Amino acid sequence: MNQDEFEKMLFRTLETNDALAIVVKSAIFIEAEIIDLIKGAMHNPAALDGLDLTYHQRCGLAVAVGLSQRFAKPLKAIGTIRNKFAHRIDAELSKSHADNLYDAFDPIDKEIINQVGSHLAEHRGAKFAQLDPLDRFVIYVISLRAAIVYAQGVQCGKFKQPE
């Protein structure tokens, strides 16, 4: 699947109102980006195929190959939320789920998220903090994915590593 198809699938998922689908599939999309980042750093990426790495191990490897350490906590948080949803058919995305994911971000990233979220919320006639937890979760997922995609771009020389 190419990048455009991947993004179309991601955004179609994020546009639904199905919290279960959004949470579980968002984590799958994030993990796919992490795998691409890791494989991009390997001389022989196929050697990873038989290792049966867990999500948390992949997150650690992503940091080891270039993703900023400040994204380790949000990656862990999204994995934790996904696990809660994956094992409960009646799971609802609560304010505390969204808040826990937000709290996992570094202050620098919270500032960016708040700026983007406030701008998007204005279009709905609300303040960012007043958006429902699912809408805020979607913004956090998009922000986290953007960081991983940026790290992929640094890895292949498309972007420069920030100082």
Side-chain angles (χ1 to χ4, degrees):
M1 167 182 341
N2 68 36
Q3 191 66 22
D4 287 341
E5 292 169 335
F6 183 89
E7 286 184 1
K8 284 179 186 174
M9 285 180 59
L10 170 64
F11 287 108
R12 267 197 308 268
T13 297
L14 296 177
E15 290 171 351
T16 71
N17 282 329
D18 182 350
L20 179 63
I22 289 173
V23 170
V24 173
K25 287 185 176 182
S26 291
I28 292 168
F29 283 109
I30 293 290
E31 188 169 12
E33 294 287 15
I34 289 169
I35 291 167
D36 286 349
L37 176 66
I38 294 166
K39 286 186 173 188
M42 300 290 129
H43 177 70
N44 180 8
L48 294 174
D49 294 343
L51 295 181
D52 198 27
L53 298 172
T54 67
Y55 172 79
H56 292 292
Q57 290 169 328
R58 287 182 174 130
C59 292
L61 273 174
V63 170
V65 300
L67 183 65
S68 175
Q69 177 66 42
R70 70 181 202 253
F71 295 107
K73 285 184 182 180
L75 286 171
K76 181 177 180 183
I78 201 168
T80 300
I81 294 167
R82 183 230 22 229
N83 288 344
K84 288 179 183 177
F85 270 69
H87 299 287
R88 296 200 51 211
I89 196 151
D90 62 342
E92 297 283 331
L93 187 73
S94 68
K95 181 181 180 310
S96 70
H97 288 121
D99 290 346
N100 288 343
L101 180 53
Y102 177 79
D103 290 343
F105 281 95
D106 185 90
I108 292 170
D109 303 305
K110 287 179 184 176
E111 186 176 325
I112 295 167
I113 289 168
N114 287 333
Q115 289 173 0
V116 171
S118 294
H119 180 71
L120 293 172
E122 282 178 25
H123 292 286
R124 293 188 177 185
K127 295 197 179 294
F128 180 51
Q130 296 171 328
L131 292 177
D132 75 31
L134 191 57
D135 288 336
R136 289 187 298 122
F137 181 86
V138 166
I139 292 168
Y140 306 153
V141 167
I142 292 169
S143 300
L144 186 55
R145 179 181 176 261
I148 299 165
V149 169
Y150 184 83
Q152 291 167 343
V154 168
Q155 188 180 70
C156 71
K158 185 176 179 182
F159 303 121
K160 289 187 176 186
Q161 180 70 34
E163 296 181 24

